[in-house]
Amino acid sequence: MRPWEKYIRQVDPYVPGEQPKLSNMIKLNTNENPYPPASEVQKAMQKVDVPALRMYPDPTSEDLVNALADTYHVNADQVFVGVGSDDVLGMAFLTFFGSSKPILFPDITYSFYDVWAKLYKIPYETPALDENFCIKKEDYYAENGGVVIANPNAPTSICENLDFIEDILQHNQDVVVIVDEAYIDFGGESAISLVEKYENLLVVQTFSKSRSMAGMRIGFAIGNSRLIKALNDVKYAYNSYTMSRLALQTGVASLKDVAYFEETCNKIITTRERVKKKMKDLGFSFPDSKTNFLFATHESVPAKELFLALREQNIFVRYFEKPRIDNYLRITIGTDEEMDCFLNFLESYLA
Ligand SMILES: *Cc1c(COP(=O)(O)O)cnc(C)c1O
């Protein structure tokens, strides 16, 4: 070990899904949207003022913040934006979780939460989901330094209703409660309607899944203006220019086309319900997904075997070699054509 190496911060990094560089693959492994962004985004790209790129972007991201405030019927001072919701969530952990009491999130959930907790030296506990992968709300009645709930949860795909979220808020009024709604547009009910009533609630969403813009990196949070100010103070203490000119312009453009957004979400939901039926017939079981993916296990063939067999065919799904979930596959809902290829292969493989 070099002398300077002992001063290096030791971290266990988050492991993102593979992004293979293959032209003929079916990519169902990172919950991307199979449909392109709204056509307004293409138009905004064509109108990009390239000479203006010599100048820094607007540090306040005013246009995007205003467009989000209009879309979600809140005030501009209730909106924070970041480089994907990972940036927003990471910033929120850094901003809100300074207690010496542990923050709480489920044992099976988005695997970035424990990475941030360790990175920022935030104590945490992970109450176990029940045997059906449901969150036990009583686990969150204990004293804590903050709560993080992904709703719908990932990778389980299970969505809780607003009464459930409100119950957790009722029992946690002295700490910040973060609700990560990365998948809420695929059939869940958003907790944004609760931010007026609970000043300690921060709802986080992303353009990466339902708005088909994972490659542009746009995420946002909605909450009480005091929470948003605290987030902005930390942002300006870290990196003032998080959002590029391109992200700001295309983000605003994307929000304009409400019809396209609803149409693509509905298409994915329709495909999902069709795939559920077929997979049941093939011997799979899974929770009732309200997301753009299924979390499925097969009655006789191990998940790892299926994962590898699919991979041979250039069909990529996600497999987590982790306790409790190592016999499950997380399968993103693609287009109908992609899902037919996937199902046809399974049908012949399992025959
Ligand atoms: C995808 C995802 C995110 C992060 O997405 P970004 O691309 O960074 O916006 C956050 N939380 C959950 C639960 C996710 O699945």
Side-chain angles (χ1 to χ4, degrees):
M1 199 193 247
R2 315 266 195 286
W4 46 265
E5 282 181 309
K6 59 177 182 287
Y7 304 121
I8 292 177
R9 183 185 283 267
Q10 298 297 316
V11 289
D12 300 321
Y14 171 76
V15 184
E18 269 182 287
Q19 295 291 349
K21 291 200 167 54
L22 299 171
S23 52
N24 60 336
M25 61 174 167
I26 297 183
K27 194 172 178 305
L28 310 174
N29 69 331
T30 53
N31 295 347
E32 288 144 339
N33 197 305
Y35 302 109
S39 55
E40 287 290 330
V41 173
Q42 183 77 50
K43 282 189 220 154
M45 291 289 279
Q46 272 144 1
K47 279 190 283 192
V48 168
D49 183 354
V50 174
L53 293 180
R54 71 186 179 79
M55 292 184 288
Y56 285 108
D58 169 15
T60 69
S61 303
E62 188 184 5
D63 293 349
L64 181 57
V65 163
N66 286 338
L68 283 164
D70 284 349
T71 301
Y72 291 99
H73 310 293
V74 294
N75 297 325
D77 65 3
Q78 295 179 283
V79 181
F80 177 80
V81 295
V83 186
S85 54
D86 286 342
D87 183 45
V88 174
L89 288 162
M91 207 83 80
F93 271 57
L94 185 56
T95 307
F96 300 119
F97 297 151
S99 168
S100 56
K101 291 176 199 144
I103 64 166
L104 305 178
F105 50 84
D107 64 336
I108 299 165
T109 189
Y110 188 40
S111 50
F112 228 135
Y113 302 154
D114 63 333
V115 174
W116 287 311
K118 285 182 218 158
L119 177 65
Y120 297 131
K121 304 188 193 319
I122 300 162
Y124 67 97
E125 281 170 15
T126 58
L129 299 180
D130 73 14
E131 63 286 359
N132 300 316
F133 296 134
C134 289
I135 298 169
K136 291 182 278 179
K137 57 182 190 295
E138 298 77 18
D139 289 343
Y140 297 82
Y141 298 172
E143 239 196 297
N144 64 67
V147 173
V148 188
I149 300 287
N151 194 49
N153 196 10
T156 66
S157 77
I158 296 169
C159 191
E160 297 296 347
N161 61 28
L162 273 194
D163 290 340
F164 181 101
I165 298 296
E166 187 157 13
D167 183 82
I168 289 185
L169 285 159
Q170 282 287 343
H171 286 87
N172 289 281
Q173 308 217 20
D174 298 336
V175 294
V176 171
V177 176
I178 297 177
V179 180
D180 178 355
E181 295 188 337
Y183 300 103
I184 200 69
D185 297 322
F186 300 108
E189 204 185 342
S190 174
I192 290 174
S193 61
L194 297 175
V195 299
E196 282 309 318
K197 196 164 163 195
Y198 298 93
E199 59 179 27
N200 59 325
L201 165 63
L202 189 78
V203 179
V204 178
Q205 292 192 12
T206 177
F207 281 48
S208 296
K209 278 87 182 213
S210 56
R211 296 187 186 274
S212 304
M213 289 179 73
M216 195 53 82
R217 313 304 301 128
I218 304 173
F220 60 96
I222 292 181
N224 184 277
S225 60
R226 299 168 78 92
L227 295 181
I228 301 305
K229 180 181 184 307
L231 277 171
N232 273 311
D233 286 348
V234 167
K235 182 195 103 156
Y236 287 116
Y238 187 77
N239 176 7
S240 324
Y241 301 108
T242 49
M243 309 302 285
S244 72
R245 285 175 173 265
L246 208 54
L248 292 174
Q249 286 168 19
T250 54
V252 170
S254 157
L255 291 170
K256 281 187 194 152
D257 203 337
V258 179
Y260 181 80
F261 166 68
E262 288 173 354
E263 180 195 324
T264 47
C265 288
N266 284 329
K267 259 162 70 173
I268 290 167
I269 291 168
T270 305
T271 305
R272 177 186 74 205
E273 297 307 311
R274 184 173 73 83
V275 172
K276 279 181 185 172
K277 288 201 192 87
K278 294 238 174 174
M279 291 204 39
K280 265 205 188 97
D281 295 343
L282 290 170
F284 286 92
S285 55
F286 36 82
D288 185 28
S289 168
K290 289 283 184 291
T291 63
N292 67 338
F293 60 89
L294 295 182
F295 189 56
T297 188
H298 191 261
E299 61 195 6
S300 58
V301 184
K304 189 168 188 178
E305 180 186 324
L306 290 171
F307 166 72
L308 293 171
L310 285 159
R311 209 163 192 273
E312 283 287 302
Q313 310 293 310
N314 283 349
I315 301 173
F316 292 84
V317 299
R318 193 88 196 258
Y319 172 68
F320 300 94
E321 205 140 33
K322 288 188 174 176
R324 296 186 73 189
I325 59 170
D326 61 359
N327 200 25
Y328 282 79
L329 297 175
R330 193 195 67 186
I331 302 142
T332 306
I333 303 297
T335 61
D336 278 314
E337 297 72 48
E338 287 173 322
M339 298 322 282
D340 285 338
C341 275
F342 167 79
L343 292 165
N344 288 341
F345 171 75
L346 285 180
E347 199 165 8
S348 58
Y349 187 84
L350 296 168

